[in-house]
């Protein structure tokens, strides 16, 4: 089995629609793909409606978190999207995304970058606006060569010159809320130091004690020494080790399925989940799909 547990669509900051994403995942030879848009489940229904036979969809979201001043992302899988407490918390984060992006545009203009809010809004479309949309404009107008190059201290990286804070989850609260909604939590790209300061291992240990299920290890932003270190930490803390592409369509160079999760680890994730179940191919014939048309 080939399993990719971290992808994005136009419901947040990817360039594939949810329907295109599942079609491309099947074409890439994946057996399982997770749709984990930022702080939203708005793409799940379209993905399920278009799900090809032979491909299983894991519903999820990537939650924006901050602890001790350091930003981090939490992958949440197979939670009940109708859970009222978790939905209210996600809504608070989403509501702050537009003012935050507008503040980044203001800071960039103060740095003499010829960017406009209209350009960012055009690229974001109906998706949940975020830094990658601002970064895409910086590529479009020739300020940086790639989206990844915008995520540095010079530009949009954590604490960077044009960085702006937004309302974010406390990760301990995120773990609590996701577990209460029947879901499973995995710390996304924990050693992605080129994005900015990373969460210390002592905090990861505290999160594990609070119920964190896993950490993402095989990821494009982790070099081999980082992966080896994280594998040791996962063993020590009894966390599930995952691998994922963090696919954003044409916005990043990584391909669907470039990094994958071991089938046994995927099986354990599905065993732990009670809020929703993976949805098997054409159109979703799962027992409890846990699908919401909202965000």
């Amino acid at each position: 089995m080939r399993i990719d547990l971290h992808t994005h669509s136009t419901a947040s900051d990817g360039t594939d629609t949810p329907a295109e994403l599942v079609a491309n995942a099947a074409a890439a030879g994946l057996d399982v793909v997770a749709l984990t848009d930022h702080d939203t489940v708005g793409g799940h229904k379209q993905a399920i409606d278009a799900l090809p036979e032979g491909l299983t969809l894991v519903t999820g979201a990537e939650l924006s978190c901050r602890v001790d001043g350091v930003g981090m992302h939490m992958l949440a899988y197979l939670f009940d999207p109708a859970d009222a407490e978790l939905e209210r918390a996600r809504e608070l984060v989403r509501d702050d995304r537009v003012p935050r992006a507008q503040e980044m545009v203001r800071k960039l203009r103060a740095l003499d970058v010829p960017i406009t809010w209209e350009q960012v809004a055009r690229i974001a479309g109906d998706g949940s606006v975020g830094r990658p949309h601002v970064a895409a404009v910086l590529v479009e107008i020739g300020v940086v060569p790639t989206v990844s190059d915008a995520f540095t201290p010079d530009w949009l990286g954590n604490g960077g010159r044009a960085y702006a804070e937004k309302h974010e989850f406390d990760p301990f609260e995120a773990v609590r809320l996701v577990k209460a909604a029947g879901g499973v939590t995995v710390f996304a790209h924990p050693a992605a130091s080129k994005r900015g300061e990373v969460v210390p291992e002592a905090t990861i240990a505290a999160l594990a004690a609070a119920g964190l299920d896993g950490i993402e290890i095989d990821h494009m932003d982790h070099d081999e020494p980082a992966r080896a270190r994280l594998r040791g930490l996962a063993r020590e803390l009894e966390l599930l080790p995952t691998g994922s592409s963090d696919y954003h369509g044409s916005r990043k160079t990584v391909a669907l399925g470039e990094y994958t999760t071991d089938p046994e680890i995927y099986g354990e994730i599905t065993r732990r989940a009670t809020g929703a179940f993976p949805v098997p191919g054409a159109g979703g014939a799962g027992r409890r799909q846990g699908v919401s048309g909202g965000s």
Side-chain angles (χ1 to χ4, degrees), residues 65-140:
C65 301
R66 182 165 294 273
V67 58
D68 297 329
V70 181
M72 60 173 285
H73 288 166
M74 186 79 70
L75 292 162
Y77 299 118
L78 299 173
F79 57 86
D80 178 1
D83 182 87
E85 192 176 8
L86 181 54
E87 166 56 18
R88 281 194 298 270
R90 287 188 290 116
E91 187 174 0
L92 287 173
V93 176
R94 289 196 307 273
D95 285 350
D96 208 29
R97 281 184 167 272
V98 169
R100 188 248 194 144
Q102 290 172 331
E103 175 64 8
M104 287 189 286
V105 168
R106 187 194 66 77
K107 288 187 173 185
L108 286 165
R109 290 183 65 84
L111 294 168
D112 295 325
V113 175
I115 187 173
T116 67
W117 170 247
E118 288 72 23
Q119 290 170 308
V120 176
R122 170 179 53 79
I123 288 177
D126 294 329
S128 182
V129 68
R131 276 188 291 176
H133 298 119
V134 181
V137 177
L138 294 181
V139 173
E140 193 175 84

